[in-house]
Amino acid sequence: MHLPVLNDTPVLKSGCEASSCGSTENQMDTLPDSIREKIQNHPCYSEDAHHYFARMHVAVAPACNIQCHYCNRKYDCSNESRPGVVSEVLTPDQAVKKTMAVAANIPQMTVLGIAGPGDPLANPERTFETFRRLSQEAPDIKLCVSTNGLALPDAVEELSKHNIDHVTITINCVDPEIGAKIYPWIFWNNKRIKGKKGAKILIEQQQKGLEMLIAKGILVKVNSVMIPGVNDQHLAEVSRIVKSKGAFLHNVMPLISEPEHGTFFGVMGQRGPTPEELQDLQDSCSGDMNMMRHCRQCRADAVGLLGEDRGDEFTLDKIEDMEIDYQAAMEKRKVIHGAIQAEMDSKRLEKAQQIQQHKEQPKLTTRPVLMAVATSGQGLINVHFGHAKEFLIYEASPEGVRFISHRKAEQYCAGDSSCGDGESVLQMTIRGLAGCVAVLCSKVGYEPWEMLEAAGITPNGEHAMEPIEEAVMAVYKEMAVAGKLVDANESVRVSA
Ligand code: CLF
Ligand code: SF4
């Protein structure tokens, strides 16, 4: 089908200059096979894989060797988790049992990560005992660790022994001046070292650890917490430096600083970035570096697909009652992984063909817009508007469709029907979709339909069970044909 060229309206420049989208999958096509093999079923390292494959964390690491101003020890590590106490800190033995139980019951779980609630490498015995046993007893599970980096250089040798080929280092700065504003102290050589001096040691250890991991052929992802007014102007430099040293992916996450979490930043009123500020920074870094945009800032005991938490199904008392035949489970896992891989390969092929067709068609001159999508995985539009716990946000433009971020439904409320100011959960969810021109879901009820329309967001239930990117592009074209996308002065993004 030929696309109509609507008019001469200037195109608002999208952050993406590529022919289709800025997803890691397009970059993935150019990766060597050895790296592709490492990331193709890792839900964090591959944006595509996160629709299909799950991860789990085991909370075996309670202690930490530094203090971050965005962390309160009562809560999960903010490096890799949303604030919220871990339900259970596990022993290595309990962690292994839990992993086996999850692997048998959720065959899509391909990655086991240790990410807290403190720093895994500040708890080396517990962390390495867990990894050692799992690498022997469940060799089909990829092992992954996330660290603040202070103890990393001393741990690299041990990490490489346990077949851990994914390491995340949280690097918030490369300048001790800035570091002193984020880290009040570190614990180093049995002493507490404060301010710039402590930050300098931490930065040096992080950079040294990064270089050592790369030298060992271990894939490194760098996480950074974006703190407006503190390191936001500095993170592009961080991105450039870590890329030059060989980091594979950069994940810039928004600071979470609710006063009720009792963190220094929360109490001091330090704000987190708006979605718009976050996207601008990610876009500005993306020229230099592969950017991760689908991070869910998971709990240190998260289980399931990114964005879902099935931890309650695998509490210690429930695991005790489970009969697990891991050999049989491994066979089943192999078959399921093979089927998912085949589906992903065929989708990738289809996508490549669509990109080619798209290139050959006359270019639209319409503006880029954001659309929200309700999905529970498999890359399909398969969730009812009212059941969505989160929405994935895509940008559609004449260049194609690209994933931007995710936004929680009910993000201002814990699930009561209303908050203090009388705003309903539905109203809050719709407010959270501000800036989107449409929401695609499997179905939408009458009341939300009217409220969405009143908010200027077109509800769309016509693409149920269709692949997300195709559906988003189809809706974009329909809107273009209907002349709804010609106002180039209208802002593409509005902060929620
Ligand atoms: Fe866990 Fe982290 Fe490994 Fe993933 S999470 S240790 S790399 S398996 Fe993933 Fe969660 Fe974001 Fe972490 S979405 S917080 S990036
Ligand atoms: Fe908290 Fe993690 Fe920072 Fe340690 S490294 S203080 S656990 S956020």
Side-chain angles (χ1 to χ4, degrees):
M1 185 181 94
H2 281 270
L3 299 182
V5 178
L6 289 178
N7 58 23
D8 294 328
T9 311
V11 181
L12 280 190
K13 210 169 184 183
S14 124
C16 176
E17 304 290 341
S19 62
S20 62
C21 72
S23 82
T24 51
E25 290 326 301
N26 289 334
Q27 287 146 345
M28 208 171 125
D29 289 341
T30 60
L31 293 173
D33 286 350
S34 57
I35 293 186
R36 192 197 305 248
E37 197 276 321
K38 281 183 183 169
I39 66 166
Q40 65 189 358
N41 63 0
H42 195 304
C44 302
Y45 282 71
S46 159
E47 191 179 299
D48 218 13
H50 101 281
H51 293 293
Y52 300 89
F53 290 108
R55 54 72 184 104
M56 71 174 287
H57 290 162
V58 284
V60 294
C64 192
N65 47 6
I66 68 171
Q67 177 64 57
C68 305
H69 272 326
Y70 47 74
C71 177
N72 174 350
R73 288 284 193 280
K74 281 193 295 177
Y75 291 86
D76 291 353
C77 173
S78 305
N79 286 342
E80 285 283 333
S81 56
R82 191 166 49 222
V85 284
V86 280
S87 321
E88 302 167 304
V89 172
L90 306 179
T91 63
D93 190 53
Q94 291 167 331
V96 171
K97 276 195 188 125
K98 181 171 175 175
T99 307
M100 301 302 226
V102 173
N105 286 282
I106 309 180
Q108 301 89 330
M109 191 280 284
T110 45
V111 177
L112 178 284
I114 301 183
D119 185 75
L121 303 182
N123 302 259
E125 292 83 13
R126 299 168 67 96
T127 295
F128 288 121
E129 170 67 4
T130 308
F131 282 145
R132 187 187 58 72
R133 284 200 41 201
L134 283 172
S135 62
Q136 288 164 1
E137 295 172 39
D140 63 327
I141 296 177
K142 283 192 193 308
L143 303 177
C144 192
V145 68
S146 168
T147 175
N148 62 41
L150 183 63
L152 182 57
D154 291 339
V156 169
E157 195 55 43
E158 189 73 19
L159 286 167
S160 64
K161 275 191 210 152
H162 299 297
N163 208 17
I164 295 160
D165 34 40
H166 299 81
V167 174
T168 296
I169 317 172
T170 298
I171 300 180
N172 295 320
C173 57
V174 288
D175 175 350
E177 283 293 341
I178 295 172
K181 295 179 189 158
I182 302 171
Y183 310 105
W185 55 260
I186 66 165
F187 198 71
W188 178 249
N189 290 341
N190 299 317
K191 277 197 296 244
R192 192 171 286 212
I193 301 179
K194 296 186 185 164
K196 237 167 82 173
K197 206 170 157 199
K200 184 165 183 285
I201 296 169
L202 177 62
I203 291 166
E204 284 167 3
Q205 289 291 98
Q206 290 170 337
Q207 296 298 319
K208 187 173 168 195
L210 167 60
E211 289 161 18
M212 290 171 73
L213 289 168
I214 299 298
K216 288 265 181 208
I218 295 174
L219 277 189
V220 180
K221 168 165 76 63
V222 168
N223 281 2
S224 301
V225 181
M226 180 183 180
I227 311 163
V230 176
N231 69 348
D232 52 340
Q233 302 294 317
H234 176 61
L235 285 177
E237 173 73 352
V238 171
S239 215
R240 199 186 52 71
I241 288 175
V242 299
K243 186 196 178 186
S244 72
K245 293 193 175 176
F248 176 73
L249 192 62
H250 192 192
N251 173 23
V252 178
M253 309 181 292
L255 171 72
I256 300 173
S257 62
E258 310 305 322
E260 59 270 28
H261 298 154
T263 63
F264 177 83
F265 279 150
V267 171
M268 298 306 286
Q270 168 66 53
R271 72 174 180 91
T274 62
E276 190 177 22
E277 288 170 335
L278 181 66
Q279 190 190 326
D280 283 347
L281 178 61
Q282 289 173 334
D283 286 348
S284 74
C285 295
S286 66
D288 287 327
M289 183 73 183
N290 298 339
M291 301 302 290
M292 177 178 186
R293 296 171 194 258
H294 59 284
C295 176
R296 301 301 200 279
Q297 293 174 276
C298 319
R299 292 172 56 92
D301 56 3
V303 175
L305 290 172
L306 301 191
E308 74 174 6
D309 191 6
R310 298 178 58 181
D312 282 355
E313 297 169 40
F314 300 95
T315 54
L316 289 178
D317 51 339
K318 287 182 184 155
I319 291 168
E320 280 308 318
D321 298 337
M322 291 180 189
E323 302 242 335
I324 299 158
D325 175 349
Y326 196 70
Q327 284 312 313
M330 255 171 83
E331 287 309 310
K332 187 170 155 199
R333 287 167 57 78
K334 245 190 240 162
V335 173
I336 290 177
H337 293 180
I340 294 176
Q341 207 54 63
E343 189 181 328
M344 284 174 67
D345 287 347
S346 99
K347 284 208 173 138
R348 196 171 290 138
L349 199 66
E350 257 174 48
K351 194 167 154 186
Q353 286 164 349
Q354 282 160 6
I355 289 168
Q356 193 47 41
Q357 285 168 3
H358 187 69
K359 275 185 190 161
E360 288 161 7
Q361 290 169 342
K363 271 265 179 329
L364 286 166
T365 57
T366 42
R367 65 189 169 93
V369 294
L370 297 185
M371 295 191 199
V373 167
T375 176
S376 64
Q378 285 86 48
L380 301 174
I381 294 167
N382 55 7
V383 172
H384 191 294
F385 180 82
H387 298 164
K389 294 201 176 96
E390 66 171 15
F391 293 92
L392 302 193
I393 308 296
Y394 286 80
E395 183 190 74
S397 76
E399 307 301 322
V401 175
R402 66 172 182 143
F403 174 75
I404 294 287
S405 64
H406 65 99
R407 294 189 197 166
K408 286 193 191 327
E410 299 173 15
Q411 57 189 343
Y412 302 102
C413 184
D416 297 329
S417 62
S418 69
C419 273
D421 63 1
E423 191 178 37
S424 72
V425 167
L426 180 55
Q427 284 168 322
M428 287 184 289
T429 297
I430 291 173
R431 184 148 61 86
L433 297 179
C436 296
V437 297
V439 57
L440 282 64
C441 46
S442 63
K443 232 176 178 181
V444 55
Y446 184 67
E447 188 192 358
W449 185 286
E450 286 204 317
M451 286 170 67
L452 282 162
E453 281 195 326
I457 303 169
T458 305
N460 188 311
E462 287 165 24
H463 295 273
M465 300 313 292
E466 289 182 16
I468 294 171
E469 293 184 9
E470 274 173 50
V472 168
M473 186 38 88
V475 174
Y476 185 72
K477 288 175 186 171
E478 283 160 21
M479 293 179 92
V481 171
K484 292 182 183 169
L485 305 173
V486 293
D487 182 1
N489 295 317
E490 204 174 315
S491 172
V492 62
R493 280 182 272 121
V494 179
S495 301

